[in-house]
Amino acid sequence: MAELSERAQRLMQPHLRAIEPYDPNFTHTRINLSANENTHPLPPRVQAAVDEALAATPLNRYPDPMSGELRNLIAAYAGVAREQVCVGNGGDELLYNFLLAFGGRGRQVLICPPCFTEYAFFAQLTETNVRAVGRDPRTFELDEESLITCARTSDLVIVTSPNNPTGDLADPGLIQRVCRACRGLVMVDEAYIEFAGKDASAAPLLDHLDNLVILRTLSKAFGAAGARCGYVLAAPDVIEAFSAIRQIYSVNVLTQAAACALFRARAELAPVVSGIVVERERLQRRLAALPNAVVWPSRANFLLVRLPNASTVRTRLRDEYSILVRDFSATTGLENCLRISVGTPEENDAVVAALTELLSKEA
Ligand SMILES: *Cc1c(COP(=O)(O)O)cnc(C)c1O
């Protein structure tokens, strides 16, 4: 990948010079199952409600900096008080703000790779040191005892539940133990929690753990990745710290309007989410039946699959079938692994059919 010019590097802060420009790999394909978006169109009534809200939003005024109406809706949805909610320009902004506010030089954030790569990136931007506790190389299960032990001496912990890209859920009981072990804040990244079912969320623990931070997004189950809206749930004083350091207008008027409409219509979105869960189980069975494939169980809207020659398979899927999936072959522990988002039934059939052809040819 292209590096920054020497001149640009000299102009930058020393700790930022080694950063490689992001390669978005934005190939346009017929079917895109690479970014864990919700690929279903919004139900017509929900789409109409969003369109109406956007049309009624004037652009000449600055947004409500505290997103009062949206926070009320999120609080009601999540079962917390409005003072326990902060919104951001996607979950990514809140992850960055988490490390900006509570990490930084001389502090350590503990993560459990393989996990979301943005954690290490934002740690680098904010000069936060990264510590890692591993997972079982075969099942990807968290090493619970090491996690608790390391949490005792880390300033921050991030646990992803369900984890991206391995799909496994962290038990709320474990989260409670991590929160008790860590003297700083523990973030549970619940970007995919709506696909994991009732009782999967650690949010009820907020009632008695004041160092727990829950991160969520509208990019996955809510089908609004393009709107860039995420939120955190935490104790009111932690939310005040998030609010104090945020860019006050980062959640624009159109995003606030669309997000409010989506939260109001969430009952109509629920069948889309349960349909994706049904498809996930069907796709898992079909992928597992491919020759020499290993598929891990997933509580999210994607599946991790290990296949012979995965990188070649991924390139041929893109070039010969116009289907995009994500290749994790270069990640330690994920050799020959592809991550495939669960799409519509038609999209899932197409990717299975293409893989069946490619793998029988390769064999
Ligand atoms: C998608 C995702 C997010 C947040 O994404 P945004 O689009 O920035 O809201 C956060 N964490 C994980 C693990 C994700 O996969």
Side-chain angles (χ1 to χ4, degrees), residues 305-324:
V305 54
R306 178 167 276 151
L307 299 167
N309 308 314
S311 288
T312 310
V313 170
R314 180 257 179 197
T315 307
R316 296 188 62 188
L317 270 181
R318 184 191 65 196
D319 298 343
E320 295 169 34
Y321 296 87
S322 196
I323 299 175
L324 200 62

PDB file of all heavy atoms in Angstrom, residues 305-324:
ATOM      1  N   VAL A 305     -15.301 -18.118   7.726  1.00  0.00           N
ATOM      2  CA  VAL A 305     -15.121 -19.439   7.134  1.00  0.00           C
ATOM      3  C   VAL A 305     -13.673 -19.616   6.711  1.00  0.00           C
ATOM      4  O   VAL A 305     -13.060 -18.690   6.180  1.00  0.00           O
ATOM      5  CB  VAL A 305     -16.112 -19.649   5.952  1.00  0.00           C
ATOM      6  CG1 VAL A 305     -16.022 -18.549   4.911  1.00  0.00           C
ATOM      7  CG2 VAL A 305     -15.929 -20.998   5.290  1.00  0.00           C
ATOM      8  N   ARG A 306     -13.122 -20.797   6.998  1.00  0.00           N
ATOM      9  CA  ARG A 306     -11.749 -21.118   6.569  1.00  0.00           C
ATOM     10  C   ARG A 306     -11.844 -22.055   5.371  1.00  0.00           C
ATOM     11  O   ARG A 306     -12.548 -23.064   5.420  1.00  0.00           O
ATOM     12  CB  ARG A 306     -10.972 -21.754   7.719  1.00  0.00           C
ATOM     13  CG  ARG A 306      -9.556 -22.158   7.343  1.00  0.00           C
ATOM     14  CD  ARG A 306      -8.723 -22.492   8.576  1.00  0.00           C
ATOM     15  NE  ARG A 306      -8.145 -21.284   9.165  1.00  0.00           N
ATOM     16  CZ  ARG A 306      -7.859 -21.144  10.466  1.00  0.00           C
ATOM     17  NH1 ARG A 306      -8.132 -22.116  11.308  1.00  0.00           N
ATOM     18  NH2 ARG A 306      -7.321 -20.034  10.912  1.00  0.00           N
ATOM     19  N   LEU A 307     -11.160 -21.669   4.289  1.00  0.00           N
ATOM     20  CA  LEU A 307     -11.207 -22.425   3.035  1.00  0.00           C
ATOM     21  C   LEU A 307      -9.795 -22.572   2.485  1.00  0.00           C
ATOM     22  O   LEU A 307      -8.961 -21.695   2.703  1.00  0.00           O
ATOM     23  CB  LEU A 307     -12.008 -21.650   1.972  1.00  0.00           C
ATOM     24  CG  LEU A 307     -13.464 -21.323   2.221  1.00  0.00           C
ATOM     25  CD1 LEU A 307     -13.940 -20.299   1.208  1.00  0.00           C
ATOM     26  CD2 LEU A 307     -14.286 -22.591   2.117  1.00  0.00           C
ATOM     27  N   PRO A 308      -9.528 -23.639   1.731  1.00  0.00           N
ATOM     28  CA  PRO A 308      -8.224 -23.721   1.080  1.00  0.00           C
ATOM     29  C   PRO A 308      -8.041 -22.543   0.113  1.00  0.00           C
ATOM     30  O   PRO A 308      -8.998 -22.160  -0.575  1.00  0.00           O
ATOM     31  CB  PRO A 308      -8.291 -25.044   0.294  1.00  0.00           C
ATOM     32  CG  PRO A 308      -9.459 -25.796   0.843  1.00  0.00           C
ATOM     33  CD  PRO A 308     -10.398 -24.790   1.426  1.00  0.00           C
ATOM     34  N   ASN A 309      -6.860 -21.960   0.080  1.00  0.00           N
ATOM     35  CA  ASN A 309      -6.541 -20.856  -0.841  1.00  0.00           C
ATOM     36  C   ASN A 309      -7.535 -19.695  -0.763  1.00  0.00           C
ATOM     37  O   ASN A 309      -8.011 -19.189  -1.781  1.00  0.00           O
ATOM     38  CB  ASN A 309      -6.483 -21.342  -2.296  1.00  0.00           C
ATOM     39  CG  ASN A 309      -5.570 -22.546  -2.446  1.00  0.00           C
ATOM     40  OD1 ASN A 309      -4.454 -22.544  -1.903  1.00  0.00           O
ATOM     41  ND2 ASN A 309      -6.045 -23.581  -3.098  1.00  0.00           N
ATOM     42  N   ALA A 310      -7.826 -19.259   0.436  1.00  0.00           N
ATOM     43  CA  ALA A 310      -8.887 -18.263   0.630  1.00  0.00           C
ATOM     44  C   ALA A 310      -8.646 -16.970  -0.157  1.00  0.00           C
ATOM     45  O   ALA A 310      -9.586 -16.411  -0.728  1.00  0.00           O
ATOM     46  CB  ALA A 310      -9.040 -17.958   2.114  1.00  0.00           C
ATOM     47  N   SER A 311      -7.412 -16.504  -0.209  1.00  0.00           N
ATOM     48  CA  SER A 311      -7.154 -15.237  -0.907  1.00  0.00           C
ATOM     49  C   SER A 311      -7.480 -15.340  -2.392  1.00  0.00           C
ATOM     50  O   SER A 311      -8.066 -14.428  -2.976  1.00  0.00           O
ATOM     51  CB  SER A 311      -5.693 -14.813  -0.745  1.00  0.00           C
ATOM     52  OG  SER A 311      -5.482 -14.389   0.574  1.00  0.00           O
ATOM     53  N   THR A 312      -7.094 -16.470  -2.986  1.00  0.00           N
ATOM     54  CA  THR A 312      -7.402 -16.680  -4.401  1.00  0.00           C
ATOM     55  C   THR A 312      -8.912 -16.774  -4.604  1.00  0.00           C
ATOM     56  O   THR A 312      -9.472 -16.182  -5.534  1.00  0.00           O
ATOM     57  CB  THR A 312      -6.744 -18.003  -4.890  1.00  0.00           C
ATOM     58  OG1 THR A 312      -5.379 -17.978  -4.481  1.00  0.00           O
ATOM     59  CG2 THR A 312      -6.849 -18.162  -6.374  1.00  0.00           C
ATOM     60  N   VAL A 313      -9.559 -17.485  -3.703  1.00  0.00           N
ATOM     61  CA  VAL A 313     -11.011 -17.642  -3.798  1.00  0.00           C
ATOM     62  C   VAL A 313     -11.692 -16.275  -3.716  1.00  0.00           C
ATOM     63  O   VAL A 313     -12.585 -15.948  -4.504  1.00  0.00           O
ATOM     64  CB  VAL A 313     -11.528 -18.581  -2.687  1.00  0.00           C
ATOM     65  CG1 VAL A 313     -13.045 -18.557  -2.605  1.00  0.00           C
ATOM     66  CG2 VAL A 313     -11.022 -20.007  -2.903  1.00  0.00           C
ATOM     67  N   ARG A 314     -11.216 -15.441  -2.799  1.00  0.00           N
ATOM     68  CA  ARG A 314     -11.810 -14.106  -2.627  1.00  0.00           C
ATOM     69  C   ARG A 314     -11.633 -13.263  -3.896  1.00  0.00           C
ATOM     70  O   ARG A 314     -12.570 -12.595  -4.352  1.00  0.00           O
ATOM     71  CB  ARG A 314     -11.167 -13.430  -1.423  1.00  0.00           C
ATOM     72  CG  ARG A 314     -11.686 -12.056  -1.130  1.00  0.00           C
ATOM     73  CD  ARG A 314     -10.700 -11.036  -1.591  1.00  0.00           C
ATOM     74  NE  ARG A 314     -11.169  -9.677  -1.349  1.00  0.00           N
ATOM     75  CZ  ARG A 314     -10.643  -8.635  -1.957  1.00  0.00           C
ATOM     76  NH1 ARG A 314      -9.671  -8.784  -2.820  1.00  0.00           N
ATOM     77  NH2 ARG A 314     -11.108  -7.438  -1.696  1.00  0.00           N
ATOM     78  N   THR A 315     -10.447 -13.316  -4.503  1.00  0.00           N
ATOM     79  CA  THR A 315     -10.203 -12.539  -5.723  1.00  0.00           C
ATOM     80  C   THR A 315     -11.066 -13.052  -6.876  1.00  0.00           C
ATOM     81  O   THR A 315     -11.635 -12.271  -7.641  1.00  0.00           O
ATOM     82  CB  THR A 315      -8.706 -12.626  -6.108  1.00  0.00           C
ATOM     83  OG1 THR A 315      -7.947 -12.238  -4.967  1.00  0.00           O
ATOM     84  CG2 THR A 315      -8.379 -11.718  -7.271  1.00  0.00           C
ATOM     85  N   ARG A 316     -11.179 -14.371  -6.972  1.00  0.00           N
ATOM     86  CA  ARG A 316     -11.988 -14.921  -8.068  1.00  0.00           C
ATOM     87  C   ARG A 316     -13.472 -14.644  -7.854  1.00  0.00           C
ATOM     88  O   ARG A 316     -14.207 -14.397  -8.816  1.00  0.00           O
ATOM     89  CB  ARG A 316     -11.715 -16.425  -8.218  1.00  0.00           C
ATOM     90  CG  ARG A 316     -10.260 -16.699  -8.633  1.00  0.00           C
ATOM     91  CD  ARG A 316     -10.035 -18.146  -8.967  1.00  0.00           C
ATOM     92  NE  ARG A 316     -10.846 -18.577 -10.117  1.00  0.00           N
ATOM     93  CZ  ARG A 316     -10.940 -19.836 -10.515  1.00  0.00           C
ATOM     94  NH1 ARG A 316     -10.306 -20.794  -9.863  1.00  0.00           N
ATOM     95  NH2 ARG A 316     -11.686 -20.142 -11.558  1.00  0.00           N
ATOM     96  N   LEU A 317     -13.918 -14.658  -6.601  1.00  0.00           N
ATOM     97  CA  LEU A 317     -15.315 -14.286  -6.318  1.00  0.00           C
ATOM     98  C   LEU A 317     -15.589 -12.870  -6.833  1.00  0.00           C
ATOM     99  O   LEU A 317     -16.628 -12.592  -7.422  1.00  0.00           O
ATOM    100  CB  LEU A 317     -15.581 -14.300  -4.813  1.00  0.00           C
ATOM    101  CG  LEU A 317     -16.053 -15.564  -4.124  1.00  0.00           C
ATOM    102  CD1 LEU A 317     -16.248 -15.283  -2.638  1.00  0.00           C
ATOM    103  CD2 LEU A 317     -17.350 -16.097  -4.736  1.00  0.00           C
ATOM    104  N   ARG A 318     -14.621 -11.993  -6.586  1.00  0.00           N
ATOM    105  CA  ARG A 318     -14.792 -10.594  -6.999  1.00  0.00           C
ATOM    106  C   ARG A 318     -14.735 -10.473  -8.528  1.00  0.00           C
ATOM    107  O   ARG A 318     -15.607  -9.863  -9.138  1.00  0.00           O
ATOM    108  CB  ARG A 318     -13.691  -9.738  -6.362  1.00  0.00           C
ATOM    109  CG  ARG A 318     -13.826  -8.258  -6.649  1.00  0.00           C
ATOM    110  CD  ARG A 318     -12.580  -7.492  -6.241  1.00  0.00           C
ATOM    111  NE  ARG A 318     -11.432  -7.919  -7.057  1.00  0.00           N
ATOM    112  CZ  ARG A 318     -10.167  -7.656  -6.739  1.00  0.00           C
ATOM    113  NH1 ARG A 318      -9.864  -6.988  -5.652  1.00  0.00           N
ATOM    114  NH2 ARG A 318      -9.184  -8.082  -7.524  1.00  0.00           N
ATOM    115  N   ASP A 319     -13.714 -11.063  -9.128  1.00  0.00           N
ATOM    116  CA  ASP A 319     -13.467 -10.808 -10.550  1.00  0.00           C
ATOM    117  C   ASP A 319     -14.359 -11.631 -11.469  1.00  0.00           C
ATOM    118  O   ASP A 319     -14.726 -11.171 -12.542  1.00  0.00           O
ATOM    119  CB  ASP A 319     -11.991 -11.078 -10.875  1.00  0.00           C
ATOM    120  CG  ASP A 319     -11.075 -10.145 -10.101  1.00  0.00           C
ATOM    121  OD1 ASP A 319     -11.582  -9.112  -9.587  1.00  0.00           O
ATOM    122  OD2 ASP A 319      -9.873 -10.443  -9.981  1.00  0.00           O
ATOM    123  N   GLU A 320     -14.722 -12.841 -11.055  1.00  0.00           N
ATOM    124  CA  GLU A 320     -15.490 -13.701 -11.958  1.00  0.00           C
ATOM    125  C   GLU A 320     -16.985 -13.711 -11.629  1.00  0.00           C
ATOM    126  O   GLU A 320     -17.806 -14.016 -12.473  1.00  0.00           O
ATOM    127  CB  GLU A 320     -14.945 -15.146 -11.900  1.00  0.00           C
ATOM    128  CG  GLU A 320     -13.511 -15.231 -12.422  1.00  0.00           C
ATOM    129  CD  GLU A 320     -12.859 -16.580 -12.129  1.00  0.00           C
ATOM    130  OE1 GLU A 320     -13.565 -17.609 -12.138  1.00  0.00           O
ATOM    131  OE2 GLU A 320     -11.631 -16.585 -11.874  1.00  0.00           O
ATOM    132  N   TYR A 321     -17.323 -13.363 -10.381  1.00  0.00           N
ATOM    133  CA  TYR A 321     -18.746 -13.421  -9.990  1.00  0.00           C
ATOM    134  C   TYR A 321     -19.275 -12.074  -9.515  1.00  0.00           C
ATOM    135  O   TYR A 321     -20.445 -11.938  -9.214  1.00  0.00           O
ATOM    136  CB  TYR A 321     -18.941 -14.463  -8.880  1.00  0.00           C
ATOM    137  CG  TYR A 321     -18.626 -15.876  -9.322  1.00  0.00           C
ATOM    138  CD1 TYR A 321     -17.325 -16.365  -9.247  1.00  0.00           C
ATOM    139  CD2 TYR A 321     -19.622 -16.708  -9.825  1.00  0.00           C
ATOM    140  CE1 TYR A 321     -17.019 -17.652  -9.658  1.00  0.00           C
ATOM    141  CE2 TYR A 321     -19.329 -17.994 -10.236  1.00  0.00           C
ATOM    142  CZ  TYR A 321     -18.032 -18.474 -10.153  1.00  0.00           C
ATOM    143  OH  TYR A 321     -17.746 -19.746 -10.562  1.00  0.00           O
ATOM    144  N   SER A 322     -18.390 -11.075  -9.409  1.00  0.00           N
ATOM    145  CA  SER A 322     -18.757  -9.756  -8.916  1.00  0.00           C
ATOM    146  C   SER A 322     -19.403  -9.822  -7.521  1.00  0.00           C
ATOM    147  O   SER A 322     -20.399  -9.183  -7.232  1.00  0.00           O
ATOM    148  CB  SER A 322     -19.691  -9.025  -9.905  1.00  0.00           C
ATOM    149  OG  SER A 322     -19.732  -7.648  -9.595  1.00  0.00           O
ATOM    150  N   ILE A 323     -18.779 -10.643  -6.669  1.00  0.00           N
ATOM    151  CA  ILE A 323     -19.225 -10.772  -5.270  1.00  0.00           C
ATOM    152  C   ILE A 323     -18.048 -10.402  -4.372  1.00  0.00           C
ATOM    153  O   ILE A 323     -16.950 -10.958  -4.520  1.00  0.00           O
ATOM    154  CB  ILE A 323     -19.670 -12.218  -4.947  1.00  0.00           C
ATOM    155  CG1 ILE A 323     -20.850 -12.633  -5.832  1.00  0.00           C
ATOM    156  CG2 ILE A 323     -20.026 -12.346  -3.461  1.00  0.00           C
ATOM    157  CD1 ILE A 323     -21.273 -14.089  -5.657  1.00  0.00           C
ATOM    158  N   LEU A 324     -18.268  -9.470  -3.465  1.00  0.00           N
ATOM    159  CA  LEU A 324     -17.186  -9.014  -2.594  1.00  0.00           C
ATOM    160  C   LEU A 324     -17.374  -9.554  -1.182  1.00  0.00           C
ATOM    161  O   LEU A 324     -18.438  -9.393  -0.576  1.00  0.00           O
ATOM    162  CB  LEU A 324     -17.173  -7.482  -2.566  1.00  0.00           C
ATOM    163  CG  LEU A 324     -15.871  -6.810  -2.112  1.00  0.00           C
ATOM    164  CD1 LEU A 324     -14.715  -7.154  -3.054  1.00  0.00           C
ATOM    165  CD2 LEU A 324     -16.063  -5.294  -2.044  1.00  0.00           C
TER     166      LEU A 324
END
